[in-house]
PDB file of all heavy atoms in Angstrom:
ATOM      1  N   PRO W 315     -41.245  27.827  -9.481  1.00  0.00           N
ATOM      2  CA  PRO W 315     -40.178  26.784  -9.195  1.00  0.00           C
ATOM      3  C   PRO W 315     -40.469  25.403  -9.671  1.00  0.00           C
ATOM      4  O   PRO W 315     -41.661  24.978  -9.879  1.00  0.00           O
ATOM      5  CB  PRO W 315     -40.324  26.599  -7.638  1.00  0.00           C
ATOM      6  CG  PRO W 315     -40.824  27.924  -7.088  1.00  0.00           C
ATOM      7  CD  PRO W 315     -41.834  28.299  -8.225  1.00  0.00           C
ATOM      8  N   LEU W 316     -39.563  24.847 -10.416  1.00  0.00           N
ATOM      9  CA  LEU W 316     -39.657  23.627 -11.001  1.00  0.00           C
ATOM     10  C   LEU W 316     -40.304  22.488 -10.240  1.00  0.00           C
ATOM     11  O   LEU W 316     -41.031  21.721 -10.724  1.00  0.00           O
ATOM     12  CB  LEU W 316     -38.263  22.956 -11.467  1.00  0.00           C
ATOM     13  CG  LEU W 316     -37.539  23.875 -12.446  1.00  0.00           C
ATOM     14  CD1 LEU W 316     -36.045  23.403 -12.452  1.00  0.00           C
ATOM     15  CD2 LEU W 316     -38.107  23.821 -13.757  1.00  0.00           C
ATOM     16  N   SER W 317     -40.128  22.530  -8.916  1.00  0.00           N
ATOM     17  CA  SER W 317     -40.793  21.648  -7.980  1.00  0.00           C
ATOM     18  C   SER W 317     -42.285  21.934  -7.768  1.00  0.00           C
ATOM     19  O   SER W 317     -42.936  21.132  -7.108  1.00  0.00           O
ATOM     20  CB  SER W 317     -39.993  21.576  -6.635  1.00  0.00           C
ATOM     21  OG  SER W 317     -39.936  22.855  -6.045  1.00  0.00           O
ATOM     22  N   ARG W 318     -42.702  23.010  -8.348  1.00  0.00           N
ATOM     23  CA  ARG W 318     -44.288  23.363  -8.102  1.00  0.00           C
ATOM     24  C   ARG W 318     -44.857  23.596  -9.337  1.00  0.00           C
ATOM     25  O   ARG W 318     -45.966  24.193  -9.394  1.00  0.00           O
ATOM     26  CB  ARG W 318     -44.149  24.691  -7.221  1.00  0.00           C
ATOM     27  CG  ARG W 318     -43.503  24.407  -5.885  1.00  0.00           C
ATOM     28  CD  ARG W 318     -43.477  25.901  -5.086  1.00  0.00           C
ATOM     29  NE  ARG W 318     -42.524  25.764  -3.929  1.00  0.00           N
ATOM     30  CZ  ARG W 318     -42.376  26.795  -3.034  1.00  0.00           C
ATOM     31  NH1 ARG W 318     -42.788  27.881  -3.232  1.00  0.00           N
ATOM     32  NH2 ARG W 318     -41.505  26.504  -2.069  1.00  0.00           N
ATOM     33  N   ILE W 319     -44.305  22.843 -10.348  1.00  0.00           N
ATOM     34  CA  ILE W 319     -45.124  22.902 -11.715  1.00  0.00           C
ATOM     35  C   ILE W 319     -45.494  21.447 -11.834  1.00  0.00           C
ATOM     36  O   ILE W 319     -44.693  20.547 -11.651  1.00  0.00           O
ATOM     37  CB  ILE W 319     -43.969  23.259 -12.735  1.00  0.00           C
ATOM     38  CG1 ILE W 319     -43.602  24.740 -12.632  1.00  0.00           C
ATOM     39  CG2 ILE W 319     -44.622  23.154 -14.165  1.00  0.00           C
ATOM     40  CD1 ILE W 319     -42.531  25.234 -13.525  1.00  0.00           C
ATOM     41  N   PRO W 320     -46.803  21.301 -12.466  1.00  0.00           N
ATOM     42  CA  PRO W 320     -47.225  19.905 -12.606  1.00  0.00           C
ATOM     43  C   PRO W 320     -46.380  19.155 -13.631  1.00  0.00           C
ATOM     44  O   PRO W 320     -45.719  19.790 -14.545  1.00  0.00           O
ATOM     45  CB  PRO W 320     -48.546  20.109 -13.303  1.00  0.00           C
ATOM     46  CG  PRO W 320     -49.018  21.469 -12.786  1.00  0.00           C
ATOM     47  CD  PRO W 320     -47.804  22.187 -12.657  1.00  0.00           C
ATOM     48  N   ASP W 321     -46.305  17.885 -13.478  1.00  0.00           N
ATOM     49  CA  ASP W 321     -45.411  16.992 -14.421  1.00  0.00           C
ATOM     50  C   ASP W 321     -46.048  16.914 -15.662  1.00  0.00           C
ATOM     51  O   ASP W 321     -47.181  16.194 -15.791  1.00  0.00           O
ATOM     52  CB  ASP W 321     -45.274  15.639 -13.646  1.00  0.00           C
ATOM     53  CG  ASP W 321     -44.358  14.586 -14.526  1.00  0.00           C
ATOM     54  OD1 ASP W 321     -43.662  15.157 -15.477  1.00  0.00           O
ATOM     55  OD2 ASP W 321     -44.391  13.413 -14.198  1.00  0.00           O
ATOM     56  N   PRO W 322     -45.500  17.431 -16.726  1.00  0.00           N
ATOM     57  CA  PRO W 322     -46.048  17.153 -18.103  1.00  0.00           C
ATOM     58  C   PRO W 322     -46.117  15.742 -18.461  1.00  0.00           C
ATOM     59  O   PRO W 322     -46.933  15.398 -19.397  1.00  0.00           O
ATOM     60  CB  PRO W 322     -45.207  17.957 -19.099  1.00  0.00           C
ATOM     61  CG  PRO W 322     -43.854  18.017 -18.338  1.00  0.00           C
ATOM     62  CD  PRO W 322     -44.183  17.975 -16.909  1.00  0.00           C
ATOM     63  N   PHE W 323     -45.320  14.873 -17.948  1.00  0.00           N
ATOM     64  CA  PHE W 323     -45.365  13.397 -18.233  1.00  0.00           C
ATOM     65  C   PHE W 323     -46.553  12.635 -17.626  1.00  0.00           C
ATOM     66  O   PHE W 323     -46.876  11.481 -17.934  1.00  0.00           O
ATOM     67  CB  PHE W 323     -44.105  12.719 -17.961  1.00  0.00           C
ATOM     68  CG  PHE W 323     -42.973  13.286 -18.715  1.00  0.00           C
ATOM     69  CD1 PHE W 323     -42.107  14.378 -18.482  1.00  0.00           C
ATOM     70  CD2 PHE W 323     -42.647  12.650 -19.964  1.00  0.00           C
ATOM     71  CE1 PHE W 323     -41.090  14.871 -19.151  1.00  0.00           C
ATOM     72  CE2 PHE W 323     -41.563  13.113 -20.734  1.00  0.00           C
ATOM     73  CZ  PHE W 323     -40.775  14.330 -20.247  1.00  0.00           C
ATOM     74  N   GLY W 324     -47.099  13.374 -16.443  1.00  0.00           N
ATOM     75  CA  GLY W 324     -48.176  12.802 -15.789  1.00  0.00           C
ATOM     76  C   GLY W 324     -47.802  11.581 -14.924  1.00  0.00           C
ATOM     77  O   GLY W 324     -48.650  10.717 -14.464  1.00  0.00           O
TER      78      GLY W 324
END
Side-chain angles (χ1 to χ4, degrees):
L316 296 163
S317 55
R318 301 176 190 178
I319 295 175
D321 178 18
F323 295 89

